[in-house]
């Protein structure tokens, strides 16, 4: 149960004064539906205005508050802006410029000969001083109302800064005094203030960037929750698995395992032998051979007389894994089966029976394999592929089913920097495959400007003309799937106009089976070009697809681009990736794209991505890696993760039941950041 002290923070934003229907949408869009969301909505910057009497007291580029008197209106043609010519009290001229608006409106606000107080940024246009769209135009006696210093918030259509400030102030009035959960010495070392003080000063005093203390709180709660999972797991009864190697020896592999694979296999084997269940993450770039490592773990279980299960994120991936594992296991006395939502009737019954009586040794499938009615005789090893599609709570669910907890191996190809791994998979030990099997071809990557789209389409025509297949990934428009979809449909339509039935389309709004059907048509080479939103990110192996085209590549995060690019380069032919970019690029976007051109190394890309974001640009792109943190920026996460993890560990060492005063405070932090699944795992004593 959530501590009562937090109730005001979890109240609905809708309950504040002055919130009409019109605000619901922007609040929803900014994800500010609860009081605490508003409190944590930190200003993106502070606007500083300078009060001056004369224009020559200030430099161009400064934001000023000044009294002026309009003397003249000037417009050029119908398309040029309205310029209101005005003078300061010394007679210096300034042009107040209004673009694309109804000229009657500025004229009404700025009648000739009537002094006004205005505020805005002073600029130079030719040899004139100008101010474009003053942000305030008031009567001289109201001039004091203009704040000299003002927090400027991230906003959305329909919710302006003034209103946002009012809402935040109302929320601040509701903020309770929370007890301290940060280690006192840590607090002192950083000279951090208590929670309430900090949350107030974030909105009321000029700060640069996000609050470190508030970020730390979130990271701490996150790590504490992970530590609780770890502690809980350590206390569980697992199944020590000691395979004798007889099945693994019989595997006929056409290649040698890489050193990384061997090391990971050894690490996993070490875990399997323990009585506490394994909780291990296997990280490895696309194509690094994670499946084989997983297979070794599954076979260990079978050798020791137990069962194994392999969970894939989609139906089609489950089938692919099933087929390739079946092939590998030909001739071995291992019975493998598949179970997905699609398997029904008699076949399904037979599989369920086989699991129960133990005649099925390894089960592969989608979520279905961990549903309530699916009973195993003696499941000892569970593998989850493409882990980043599953949240922590889903992971917990999996391991809480049986009375003897199976070992869990989670796998991910999402390249994330080391520091962030700890923040997202903090409850797990990590093994890393950090090399690709020898002889892999790199994917040639080129960056092309959008103006050359027709050339790209011609190139695509040649590519499919010579028997190849291609992916065409559509731009990420914004957070709404709707506009992403519109863009994809439009692109599919233009490509169909040229290539006809050879073009298919998949997007996030399609139902699973529908999507799978389209994917399968692509896999069977019935369609040549697969237009897609980012749903193909986790994906199916289509070796014949050797061309990847990504539109508006500058809108994607690096990790995502890397992931998308990994869809090609899976066969023996040389693969190419074309990154289409917009005409104007930010410095960061340029750096990102050239990094993609330079390297195929996912981990290097991930580290670099973090660094580039640290340089200022935040989010803006959907990255699976960002899920979970709302207050801390990626840079803050990497800065504080070490300290926060130690802090959490220390607290639990001393007070495993979180019963002390500080322990109680830490519980509040868990609830505040919605990591209360951690609290559920607390054991007393
Ligand atoms: P991922 O890590 O992306 O899941 P997979 O396990 O699907 O990668 O492996 C990709 C391909 O590499 C498969 O065809 C697999 O058989 C092959 N492979 C795995 N290990 C090796 C190796 N040591 N040497 C050569 N090929 C390998
Ligand atoms: Mg894989």
């Amino acid at each position: 149960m959530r501590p009562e002290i937090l109730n005001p923070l979890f109240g609905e934003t809708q309950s504040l004064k002055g919130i009409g229907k019109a605000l619901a949408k922007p609040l929803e869009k900014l994800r500010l539906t609860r009081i605490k969301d508003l409190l944590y909505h930190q200003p993106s910057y502070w606007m500083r205005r300078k009060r001056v009497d004369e224009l020559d007291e200030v430099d161009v580029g400064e934001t000023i508050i000044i009294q002026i008197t309009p003397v003249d209106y000037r417009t050029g043609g119908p398309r040029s802006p309205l310029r209101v010519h005005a003078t300061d009290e010394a007679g210096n001229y300034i042009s107040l410029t209004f673009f694309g608006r109804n000229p009657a409106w500025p004229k009404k606000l700025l009648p000739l000969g009537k002094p006004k107080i205005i505020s805005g940024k002073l600029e130079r246009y030719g040899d004139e001083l100008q101010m474009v769209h003053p942000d305030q135009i008031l009567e001289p006696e109201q001039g004091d109302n203009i704040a000299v210093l003002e927090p400027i918030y991230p906003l959305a259509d329909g919710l302006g800064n003034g209103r946002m400030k009012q809402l935040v102030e109302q929320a601040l009035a509701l903020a309770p005094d929370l007890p301290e959960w940060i280690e006192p010495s840590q607090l002192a070392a950083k000279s951090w203030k208590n929670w309430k003080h900090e949350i107030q000063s974030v909105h009321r005093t000029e700060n640069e960037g996000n609050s470190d203390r508030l970020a730390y709180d979130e990271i701490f709660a996150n790590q504490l929750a992970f530590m609780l999972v770890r502690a809980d797991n350590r206390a569980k009864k697992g199944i020590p698995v000691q395979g004798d190697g007889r099945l693994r020896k019989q595997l006929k592999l056409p290649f040698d395992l890489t050193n990384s694979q061997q090391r990971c296999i050894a690490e996993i084997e070490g875990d399997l032998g323990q009585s506490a269940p394994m909780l291990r993450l296997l990280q490895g770039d696309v194509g690094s051979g994670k499946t084989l490592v997983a297979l070794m773990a599954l076979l260990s279980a079978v050798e020791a007389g137990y069962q194994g299960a392999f969970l894939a994120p989609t139906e089609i991936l489950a089938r692919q894994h099933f087929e390739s594992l079946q092939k590998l296991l030909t001739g071995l006395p291992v019975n493998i089966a598949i179970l997905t939502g699609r398997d029904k009737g008699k076949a399904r019954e037979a599989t369920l029976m086989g699991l129960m009586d133990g005649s099925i040794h390894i089960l592969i499938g989608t979520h279905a394999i961990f549903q309530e009615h699916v009973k195993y005789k003696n499941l000892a090893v569970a593998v989850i592929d493409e882990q980043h599609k599953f949240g922590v709570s889903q992971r917990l669910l999996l391991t809480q089913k049986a009375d003897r907890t199976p070992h869990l191996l989670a796998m991910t190809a999402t390249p994330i920097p080391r520091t962030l791994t700890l923040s997202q998979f903090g409850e797990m030990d990590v093994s890393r495959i950090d090399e690709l099997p020898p002889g892999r071809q790199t994917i040639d990557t080129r960056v092309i400007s959008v103006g050359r789209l027709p050339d790209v389409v011609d190139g695509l025509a040649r590519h499919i003309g010579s028997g190849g297949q291609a992916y065409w990934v559509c731009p990420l428009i914004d957070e709404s799937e709707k506009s992403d979809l519109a863009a994809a449909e439009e692109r599919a339509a233009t490509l169909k106009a040229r290539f006809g039935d050879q073009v298919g389309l998949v997007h996030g709004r399609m139902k699973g089976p529908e999507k799978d059907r389209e994917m399968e048509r692509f896999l069977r080479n019935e369609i040549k070009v697969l237009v897609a939103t980012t749903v193909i990110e986790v994906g199916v192996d289509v070796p014949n697809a050797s061309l990847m085209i990504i539109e508006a590549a500058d809108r994607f995060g690096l990790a995502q681009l890397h992931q998308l690019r990994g869809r090609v380069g899976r066969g023996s032919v040389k693969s190419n990736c074309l990154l289409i970019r917009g005409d104007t690029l930010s410095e960061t976007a340029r750096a990102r794209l050239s990094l993609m051109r330079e390297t195929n190394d996912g981990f290097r890309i991930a580290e670099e991505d973090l660094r580039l974001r640290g340089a200022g640009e935040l989010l803006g792109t959907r990255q699976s890696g960002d899920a979970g943190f709302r207050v801390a920026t990626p840079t803050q996460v990497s800065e504080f993760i070490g300290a926060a993890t130690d802090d959490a560990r220390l607290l639990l060492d001393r007070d495993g039941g979180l019963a002390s005063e500080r322990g109680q405070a830490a519980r509040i932090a868990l609830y505040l950041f919605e990591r209360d699944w951690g609290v559920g795992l607390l054991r007393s004593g």
Side-chain angles (χ1 to χ4, degrees):
M1 266 269 285
R2 184 199 304 147
E4 258 172 50
I5 193 169
L6 290 177
N7 286 350
L9 296 178
F10 281 81
E12 307 230 335
T13 307
Q14 288 287 344
S15 66
L16 295 177
K17 280 200 295 281
I19 298 222
K21 278 213 188 75
L23 282 187
K25 220 165 141 196
L27 285 172
E28 182 87 20
K29 178 149 191 233
L30 294 164
R31 297 200 297 157
L32 301 178
T33 51
R34 291 158 311 177
I35 302 297
K36 77 181 187 90
D37 303 329
L38 275 174
L39 291 177
Y40 280 110
H41 195 54
Q42 303 186 46
S44 34
Y45 66 98
W46 285 74
M47 164 101 91
R48 200 171 255 293
R49 301 185 177 93
K50 210 163 167 180
R51 243 177 241 287
V52 293
D53 296 324
E54 295 178 25
L55 286 162
D56 41 22
E57 290 170 35
V58 281
D59 293 325
V60 168
E62 287 191 273
T63 301
I64 57 170
I65 305 170
I66 191 169
Q67 175 164 326
I68 50 86
T69 308
V71 294
D72 187 18
Y73 302 131
R74 288 184 303 177
T75 52
R79 294 188 150 240
S80 60
L82 171 73
R83 292 182 190 283
V84 180
H85 229 182
T87 54
D88 67 7
E89 69 177 17
N92 299 309
Y93 277 99
I94 182 168
S95 158
L96 311 178
T97 309
F98 296 86
F99 287 96
R101 301 214 187 174
N102 175 359
W105 171 80
K107 284 181 186 171
K108 207 163 138 202
L109 279 175
L110 292 162
L112 298 183
K114 288 262 173 0
K116 296 280 173 177
I117 297 272
I118 60 166
S119 126
K121 191 164 161 195
L122 189 65
E123 292 170 3
R124 182 173 298 288
Y125 179 72
D127 43 357
E128 278 188 335
L129 288 174
Q130 78 164 359
M131 188 183 289
V132 179
H133 297 180
D135 61 52
Q136 312 258 8
I137 302 175
L138 298 172
E139 299 304 325
E141 60 274 17
Q142 296 173 317
D144 289 345
N145 295 348
I146 303 179
V148 172
L149 185 63
E150 186 180 33
I152 306 295
Y153 289 95
L155 301 169
D157 268 355
L159 177 51
N161 201 57
R163 176 53 66 86
M164 183 70 87
K165 278 199 317 191
Q166 287 166 10
L167 294 179
V168 169
E169 277 303 321
Q170 287 186 60
L172 282 173
L174 296 170
D177 284 306
L178 296 181
E180 190 55 70
W181 47 75
I182 297 181
E183 168 74 29
S185 60
Q186 169 85 319
L187 206 65
K190 296 276 197 295
S191 336
W192 283 337
K193 302 290 189 310
N194 68 47
W195 180 83
K196 185 165 178 183
H197 186 284
E198 186 68 13
I199 204 100
Q200 285 174 338
S201 76
V202 150
H203 300 284
R204 291 180 180 162
T205 25
E206 184 176 13
N207 297 293
E208 226 171 88
N210 263 15
S211 154
D212 280 344
R213 138 119 228 193
L214 299 182
Y216 185 89
D217 290 346
E218 186 180 39
I219 302 163
F220 171 69
N222 188 65
Q223 297 313 101
L224 184 60
F226 279 144
M227 295 291 154
L228 286 166
V229 178
R230 258 179 185 274
D232 175 69
N233 193 68
R234 223 168 317 159
K236 270 190 185 147
K237 206 161 80 190
I239 309 163
V241 167
Q242 213 100 57
D244 56 12
R246 84 196 125 87
L247 295 172
R248 283 170 285 171
K249 248 185 268 154
Q250 286 181 60
L251 265 189
K252 285 188 200 64
L253 296 176
F255 44 70
D256 294 330
L257 293 173
T258 62
N259 288 335
S260 290
Q261 282 173 313
Q262 288 176 24
R263 194 194 60 239
C264 293
I265 289 169
E267 286 166 0
I268 292 166
E269 228 177 65
D271 286 0
L272 294 181
Q274 310 293 315
S275 61
M278 167 170 77
L279 263 184
R280 187 169 285 276
L281 179 71
L282 176 62
Q283 280 188 312
D285 217 336
V286 190
S288 60
K290 294 185 291 298
T291 320
L292 214 55
V293 175
L295 178 62
M296 294 302 179
L298 294 168
L299 286 179
S300 297
V302 181
E303 285 167 359
Y306 298 106
Q307 291 169 303
F310 189 121
L311 174 66
T314 66
E315 165 107 31
I316 191 163
L317 269 173
R319 295 202 178 275
Q320 247 182 9
H321 278 312
F322 177 66
E323 278 157 28
S324 63
L325 293 188
Q326 220 175 16
K327 224 177 274 163
L328 278 169
L329 295 172
T330 315
L332 270 68
V334 178
N335 190 10
I336 96 169
I338 180 163
L339 184 70
T340 71
R342 223 196 268 173
D343 300 293
K344 301 231 162 69
K346 283 233 169 61
R348 186 181 184 89
E349 287 308 312
T351 306
L352 293 180
M353 283 302 297
L355 284 173
M356 237 175 338
D357 66 20
S359 58
I360 292 175
H361 304 117
I362 296 175
L363 181 68
I364 296 176
T366 52
H367 294 66
I369 68 174
F370 289 119
Q371 271 160 8
E372 208 51 55
H373 60 272
V374 180
K375 300 261 192 291
Y376 296 79
K377 177 163 180 242
N378 54 12
L379 179 64
V381 173
V383 176
I384 313 180
D385 197 14
E386 301 302 353
Q387 163 69 43
H388 65 291
K389 296 285 157 181
F390 298 92
V392 190
S393 27
Q394 276 167 306
R395 294 201 297 258
L396 285 177
L397 224 80
L398 288 185
T399 52
Q400 250 143 34
K401 229 187 108 172
D403 55 347
R404 291 219 289 166
T405 310
H407 297 284
L408 183 73
L409 178 67
M411 308 202 288
T412 179
T414 306
I416 41 179
R418 272 174 206 278
T419 49
L420 295 190
T421 306
L422 196 55
S423 75
Q424 279 166 62
F425 303 104
E427 88 278 31
M428 296 200 243
D429 298 305
V430 178
S431 292
R432 242 186 196 204
I433 309 186
D434 46 19
E435 64 187 316
L436 291 180
R440 281 290 155 78
Q441 302 218 34
T442 56
I443 302 161
D444 265 343
T445 302
R446 278 193 296 154
V447 180
I448 294 177
S449 95
V450 65
R452 291 185 49 207
L453 204 61
D455 296 343
V456 173
V457 178
D458 286 344
L460 175 63
R462 284 192 298 277
H463 179 75
I464 59 181
S466 63
Q469 286 173 281
Y471 293 99
W472 187 301
V473 178
C474 289
L476 202 63
I477 308 279
D478 56 27
E479 292 295 309
S480 96
E481 275 180 9
K482 227 183 181 160
S483 35
D484 285 359
L485 172 58
E489 278 176 334
E490 201 179 310
R491 178 57 62 210
T494 51
L495 290 176
K496 270 185 183 149
R498 173 143 177 200
F499 302 110
D501 289 348
Q502 304 184 89
V503 179
L505 171 67
V506 290
H507 55 76
R509 290 218 159 177
M510 279 174 151
K511 293 227 169 25
E514 204 187 341
K515 199 155 55 186
D516 284 353
R517 221 170 310 134
E518 200 73 353
M519 282 292 212
E520 261 160 40
R521 291 214 304 143
F522 188 58
L523 185 58
R524 288 196 300 265
N525 204 355
E526 291 167 19
I527 47 182
K528 307 293 177 188
V529 184
L530 189 66
V531 177
T533 56
T534 52
V535 294
I536 56 158
E537 210 182 318
V538 168
V540 182
D541 220 342
V542 186
N544 191 47
S546 56
L547 176 61
M548 166 65 64
I549 298 167
I550 304 176
E551 253 189 273
D554 42 306
R555 284 170 168 262
F556 291 91
L558 275 179
Q560 208 172 12
L561 284 178
H562 177 70
Q563 203 78 352
L564 287 166
R565 181 171 61 180
R567 294 296 102 213
V568 298
R570 311 200 133 218
S572 47
V573 288
K574 182 83 192 159
S575 290
N576 290 288
C577 174
L578 303 180
L579 302 174
I580 302 177
R581 64 165 181 85
D583 280 331
T584 51
L585 277 190
S586 73
E587 209 48 39
T588 316
R590 198 176 295 276
R592 276 191 175 142
L593 293 184
S594 54
L595 185 68
M596 287 298 295
R597 210 171 39 206
E598 253 166 58
T599 182
N600 277 265
D601 176 349
F603 288 114
R604 182 169 160 222
I605 288 175
E607 300 286 350
E608 207 58 17
D609 193 21
L610 180 65
R611 203 182 55 75
L612 287 172
R613 284 150 171 266
E617 192 175 321
L618 268 182
L619 305 180
T621 42
R622 276 180 287 191
Q623 293 223 347
S624 41
D626 294 318
F629 286 99
R630 286 208 52 190
V631 181
T633 64
T635 322
Q636 286 174 320
V637 173
S638 46
E639 182 176 352
F640 294 123
I641 187 85
T645 310
D646 291 346
D647 200 356
R649 192 179 289 129
L650 215 68
L651 174 61
L652 282 182
D653 282 351
R654 272 183 290 187
D655 177 17
L658 294 184
S660 65
E661 199 177 325
R662 197 179 148 225
Q664 296 287 345
R667 286 176 188 242
I668 293 179
L670 289 172
Y671 280 99
L672 178 59
F673 293 103
E674 294 168 85
R675 263 67 171 183
D676 38 304
W677 41 264
V679 185
L681 299 170
L682 277 177
R683 16 190 106 240
S684 33

